[in-house]
Amino acid sequence: MEQSEVLKRVIGILTEAGDYRRRIEQDDERGAGGTDIGIVTALLNETMPHIEIPAEATPQEMATLVAREVGGAIRQLVAAFSLAFVALAQVHDSGEQDVTSADVLQDLALRAEDVKGGGPGESAD
């Protein structure tokens, strides 16, 4: 999955989490039931590679294979969440009262196409 697509999906997760928080506050249901994590599960399913481990693989070979295959996907996810966090933190730290977190996430989503560095196998160096 391209890094820009991962970023857009992360922004969707953060936006939905913010909407969920606002609904709870509006309904005053502090102890409301479970959240819908379907989009998180979908993102993980689409981002994480499918790994075929040979039956004769040793535990060390299995660990190396999993680390190599999953490491890139984890880096993509961490990079996307980190970028969103930094964008939100910068606006918060600046003290801008007229910019909401939703505004920041929307702007970031619009700029997501400019993000370079594609999938888990690619280096962002």
Side-chain angles (χ1 to χ4, degrees), residues 1 6 9-10 13 37-50 70 73-74 76-78 81:
M1 183 181 290
V6 173
R9 299 288 294 277
V10 164
I13 290 168
I37 59 168
I39 61 172
V40 174
T41 301
L43 176 62
L44 290 173
N45 286 338
E46 292 174 14
T47 306
M48 292 298 145
H50 298 282
V70 174
I74 291 172
Q76 261 191 316
L77 289 169
V78 169
F81 274 105

Side-chain angles (χ1 to χ4, degrees), residues 14-101:
L14 294 174
T15 300
E16 194 164 302
D19 291 344
Y20 180 76
R21 181 192 53 85
R22 281 186 286 283
R23 283 192 308 269
I24 288 174
E25 289 175 353
Q26 287 173 351
D27 295 340
D28 198 32
E29 296 176 10
R30 304 274 179 221
T35 62
D36 178 17
I37 59 168
I39 61 172
V40 174
T41 301
L43 176 62
L44 290 173
N45 286 338
E46 292 174 14
T47 306
M48 292 298 145
H50 298 282
I51 304 170
E52 291 187 32
I53 299 175
E56 67 279 357
T58 66
Q60 181 60 40
E61 291 169 335
M62 287 184 349
T64 300
L65 178 63
V66 169
R68 183 179 65 232
E69 296 296 322
V70 174
I74 291 172
R75 282 190 299 277
Q76 261 191 316
L77 289 169
V78 169
F81 274 105
S82 297
L83 180 60
F85 173 82
V86 167
L88 290 164
Q90 285 176 335
V91 170
H92 174 270
D93 292 349
S94 73
E96 292 184 48
Q97 298 292 319
D98 58 334
V99 180
T100 67
S101 60

